[in-house]
Amino acid sequence: MNANQYIQNLFVKKDPEAEAILQSLEDNEIPNISIPPETGHFMTLLIKLSGAKKALEIGALGGYSGLHILRGLPKDGTLLSLEIRDEYVDLAKENLTKAGYGENISYRLGSALDSLEQLKQEKETFDLFFIDADKRNYIHYLEASIALARPNALILVDNTLRGGRVYDPENQEKTTKFIREFNEYLSDHAQLDAIILPIGDGLAMARVKG
Ligand SMILES: C[S@@+](CC[C@H](N)C(=O)[O-])C[C@H]1O[C@@H](n2cnc3c(N)ncnc32)[C@H](O)[C@@H]1O
């Protein structure tokens, strides 16, 4: 057993809504690359503490992280999710509607970089961001999030430890290098207070300075 399994066993209770989303991925033969349950549980808790109302997610898949974000928002909170594959948008929408969040969700289909640029043109702002799509664009997603952030906004980023590969000097995989570069960039960003937590696959959290 490792620390994450121990935490999961203790704190992640039976969760039929979340399990239904994972089942829908399996039924549709979509690989489960959702966040792990302990990361979801932590995100819900953190989002409740943050008081965030308007959230933006990059990478919807089947709506598993979306469910955990929505659970942290108030009843009238909203989640806009950016996703490049229309079948994932349909599935996430269906899953989150079934979970009772149909009124709280919206999606933008297409490349997240394009959608982020559109949102900037539209002068949209958010107080919570969750970045969980193509790793090579993490730095761009971070900068785009800062550009759309309200003061004190919270930015969460998944997979920042990549199962420990980021701190294995022998590992020179392309994606590991992207994440290493991202982590260094994050650690030295003048507009952010930031840290990486070793929960799940490594969750970075940052506060946009007011
Ligand atoms: C790791 S999965 C997201 C998992 C989801 N956040 C969860 O935990 O339930 C990454 C998602 O990002 C989407 N994606 C990949 N590249 C993208 C891009 N350039 N723009 C928007 N979405 C993208 C993929 O189609 C996939 O659904």
Side-chain angles (χ1 to χ4, degrees), residues 21 33-36 57-66 82-85 88 110-113 130 132-137 141 158-159:
I21 295 178
I33 47 171
S34 316
I35 54 166
E57 173 184 63
I58 305 175
L61 195 69
Y64 188 83
S65 55
L82 312 183
E83 174 55 58
I84 203 161
R85 297 184 63 161
Y88 294 173
S111 142
L113 285 178
F130 179 50
D132 189 23
D134 52 325
K135 315 295 171 223
R136 79 200 145 97
N137 277 316
Y141 294 152
D158 197 32
N159 306 112

Side-chain angles (χ1 to χ4, degrees), residues 134-188:
D134 52 325
K135 315 295 171 223
R136 79 200 145 97
N137 277 316
Y138 264 24
I139 290 180
H140 299 297
Y141 294 152
L142 181 72
E143 283 302 330
S145 299
I146 294 169
L148 298 172
R150 296 172 177 171
N152 280 316
L154 177 63
I155 303 177
L156 301 174
V157 189
D158 197 32
N159 306 112
T160 52
L161 294 179
R162 271 184 64 75
R165 277 166 281 180
V166 284
Y167 50 83
D168 171 5
E170 304 284 295
N171 191 301
Q172 293 301 322
E173 286 166 13
K174 231 193 220 169
T175 309
T176 304
K177 285 183 178 175
F178 286 136
I179 295 289
R180 260 187 215 130
E181 196 189 334
F182 172 79
N183 290 344
E184 282 161 28
Y185 187 83
L186 179 73
S187 70
D188 208 19

